[in-house]
Amino acid sequence: MKVVIMAGGRGTRISELFPDIPKPMIPVCGIPVLEREISSLKEQGFTDIILTVGYKAESIMQHFGDGRKYGVQIEYFVEKEPLGNAGALFRIKDKLTEDFLLLNADAMFNVDFNRFVKFHKAHNGLVTLFTHPNNHPYDSGLIVANKEKKVEQWLTKEDKRPKYYQNRVNAGLHVINPEALDLKVTTDKVDLDRQVLKPLCSSGKIYCYDSPEYVKDMGTPERYETVCKDFENGTVEARNLKNKQKAIFLDRDGTINKYVGFLRNIEQFELLSGVSEAIRKINQSGYLAVVVTNQPVIARGEVTYTELQEIHNKMETVLGKDGAYLDGIYFCPHHPDKGFEGEVKELKINCNCRKPNPGLLLQAASDFNINLEQSWMIGDGKNDIQAGKNAGCKTVLIGDDEFGQDITVYSLLEFVNQIVC
């Protein structure tokens, strides 16, 4: 599979640190970020690369040459004048005869591209976007998708966004079928997001691939410093899903938000004190933060799937404003007992996902390659502890009771400060 890397950027926001270096050549621990990207691709079998270059193109071409030094084959397209971030694609379209990877050269990433490509091929779409949560969704482009991962909306920074939204950010990594480029372009300068990809939303042909793997923009001095620290401490490599992950599984009600019984009204959702700080520290620790929650209100007919999604959107929005994020949210909609007015009969079943059964944790472990023995389950009830034990995790209870848990605390933040930090 060909890989097209857009490496023409100047990097105006970070120019105060590197005024004479093109953004793809900015060093991360002594090696240009583009070189680290190419090395990661080569290790995974992606060796046919096209670099689109512009600003100080000669310095990039001189450094990489034809790629043989790095075990790859590199071709170049040189932009004589700025073509936007997609204009070059239409100039090299004849070279793109099958699905290809399209990547940015100005971000630090380390992801399992074979897993990404496998998802794309299984869904047979025109485009698959690599999406992830981040700690600043309020100023990032957001992707809205349905349960089948089909993209329904693309909210760019200038678009008005809803009050509450899912923290699903476009990471700038794509798998694209050349048919997606079969649109008439009337200008040389083309914006990939706004002119090519955003119009495909709601077509049923564009999907999102959600992953907690490491992809970070390094366009500001602060973000660049974070990337360098993450590389030095091993976080960048460790987050690749080819490696086993470790997670902190979080119950929702009574652990993240105030317990109000069955939460049916979004206005009742309120974060507990210290939760944002705790989850922010989990994000920085190398653990994944994954919510696993029983939601029998769906089966009981008291909350719809749409209403539950909106509650979870509120949770993600509030956390995002505090610089925290969740890597995954898993819920069980079932309830075994019948006889409720308005109940959804097909959801009135005994299932493997309702805690104390371990199904939600096992599904997350499969999705994110999680080592359950190195992971924790934390909640405020017996079912949480039993679910954690049934999955093979270490367990933490918030409260005073004794259910055989490994650790007892009085808040999520206490646990994080005691064990994680």
Side-chain angles (χ1 to χ4, degrees):
M1 176 179 281
K2 279 190 183 296
V3 182
V4 179
I5 304 179
M6 298 182 288
R10 182 168 184 169
T12 54
R13 292 179 299 167
I14 201 172
S15 60
E16 63 184 80
L17 294 182
F18 303 99
D20 299 316
I21 300 177
K23 197 173 180 183
M25 298 303 291
I26 290 175
V28 175
C29 299
I31 295 177
V33 62
L34 178 55
E35 185 175 329
R36 292 200 180 279
E37 293 176 2
I38 289 173
S39 295
S40 176
L41 288 163
K42 188 261 180 183
E43 288 172 4
Q44 299 181 56
F46 297 89
T47 59
D48 189 358
I49 298 172
I50 300 175
L51 294 182
T52 67
V53 293
Y55 177 69
K56 291 189 177 293
E58 65 284 349
S59 66
I60 297 174
M61 297 168 70
Q62 196 171 47
H63 184 91
F64 292 101
D66 62 7
R68 280 184 291 181
K69 178 180 176 182
Y70 303 95
V72 298
Q73 175 186 321
I74 297 177
E75 296 180 71
Y76 296 91
F77 175 83
V78 181
E79 296 184 15
K80 302 297 184 183
E81 64 283 327
L83 298 176
N85 62 2
L89 287 179
F90 292 88
R91 301 288 185 91
I92 62 171
K93 190 177 174 184
D94 60 318
K95 297 179 182 293
L96 306 174
T97 58
E98 58 184 9
D99 291 349
F100 64 95
L101 274 169
L102 178 64
L103 314 176
N104 289 318
D106 57 1
M108 187 67 193
F109 57 72
N110 193 317
V111 307
D112 187 340
F113 284 110
N114 287 299
R115 190 180 180 119
F116 182 25
V117 170
K118 182 179 179 181
F119 175 95
H120 171 79
K121 291 184 175 179
H123 289 79
N124 197 33
L126 284 183
V127 179
T128 301
L129 308 174
F130 186 107
T131 52
H132 64 159
N134 72 15
N135 60 3
H136 54 99
Y138 45 83
D139 69 352
S140 302
L142 297 175
I143 304 300
V144 180
N146 62 21
K147 289 189 290 185
E148 286 75 42
K149 300 298 180 71
K150 291 182 179 180
V151 176
E152 296 180 336
Q153 281 185 285
W154 185 311
L155 301 176
T156 53
K157 293 180 182 180
E158 67 268 21
D159 289 332
K160 183 178 180 180
R161 58 188 61 194
K163 184 177 181 181
Y164 302 124
Y165 47 82
Q166 185 175 1
N167 186 343
R168 177 186 274 136
V169 174
N170 175 34
L173 313 180
H174 325 73
V175 186
I176 298 180
N177 184 296
E179 290 182 23
L181 304 179
D182 286 345
L183 71 160
K184 292 183 179 179
V185 177
T186 57
T187 60
D188 288 334
K189 199 170 184 178
V190 182
D191 184 285
L192 176 70
D193 295 354
R194 293 162 179 79
Q195 293 176 254
V196 180
L197 301 180
K198 190 174 179 180
L200 289 173
C201 293
S202 300
S203 69
K205 298 178 181 179
I206 180 168
Y207 289 83
C208 63
Y209 169 79
D210 294 331
S211 174
E213 291 172 288
Y214 195 96
V215 184
K216 282 192 187 299
D217 168 64
M218 35 183 269
T220 67
E222 296 78 15
R223 291 175 188 172
Y224 171 73
E225 182 181 356
T226 298
V227 165
C228 290
K229 287 180 179 178
D230 288 343
F231 190 88
E232 287 175 338
N233 65 28
T235 299
V236 176
E237 169 66 22
R239 276 296 177 95
N240 189 306
L241 287 185
K242 68 184 180 184
N243 303 313
K244 280 291 185 182
Q245 305 297 306
K246 55 184 182 178
I248 295 175
F249 294 102
L250 305 163
D251 175 46
R252 196 192 76 179
D253 302 319
T255 301
I256 292 177
N257 57 282
K258 291 184 178 179
Y259 182 77
V260 295
F262 288 124
L263 197 158
R264 304 177 181 88
N265 188 327
I266 193 170
E267 300 302 324
Q268 296 177 299
F269 183 92
E270 182 180 349
L271 289 183
L272 289 164
S273 176
V275 162
S276 289
E277 180 183 353
I279 295 178
R280 190 165 60 245
K281 288 182 175 181
I282 294 172
N283 299 150
Q284 296 165 354
S285 72
Y287 282 91
L288 302 180
V290 180
V291 170
V292 287
T293 175
N294 290 347
Q295 290 301 317
V297 287
I298 300 291
R300 289 160 58 113
E302 298 167 347
V303 174
T304 65
Y305 281 108
T306 300
E307 289 167 337
L308 179 63
Q309 182 63 57
E310 188 67 4
I311 290 169
H312 288 164
N313 287 352
K314 180 177 182 180
M315 176 168 62
E316 294 204 70
T317 302
V318 175
L319 286 171
K321 288 179 179 178
D322 291 337
Y325 59 87
L326 300 168
D327 293 291
I329 301 175
Y330 294 79
F331 66 90
C332 170
H334 307 114
H335 191 252
D337 301 330
K338 300 179 181 179
F340 294 87
E341 185 178 354
E343 67 185 16
V344 182
K345 293 182 179 179
E346 61 268 26
L347 298 179
K348 288 291 184 173
I349 60 172
N350 287 301
C351 64
N352 189 48
C353 56
R354 179 176 167 82
K355 295 180 292 184
N357 293 322
L360 296 178
L361 290 81
L362 297 179
Q363 183 60 57
S366 174
D367 291 344
F368 296 148
N369 194 21
I370 295 170
N371 183 332
L372 292 167
E373 292 182 356
Q374 292 186 356
S375 300
W376 295 85
M377 173 70 220
I378 180 167
D380 65 331
K382 182 178 180 180
N383 285 345
D384 302 314
I385 303 306
Q386 290 183 338
K389 287 184 174 295
N390 289 336
C393 297
K394 294 168 282 189
T395 56
V396 186
L397 181 78
I398 297 176
D400 293 309
D401 296 311
E402 177 54 55
F403 301 123
Q405 66 271 16
D406 295 293
I407 293 176
T408 302
V409 295
Y410 291 98
S411 71
L412 178 58
L413 183 58
E414 181 187 347
F415 162 72
V416 171
N417 287 337
Q418 180 179 331
I419 301 297
V420 178
C421 298

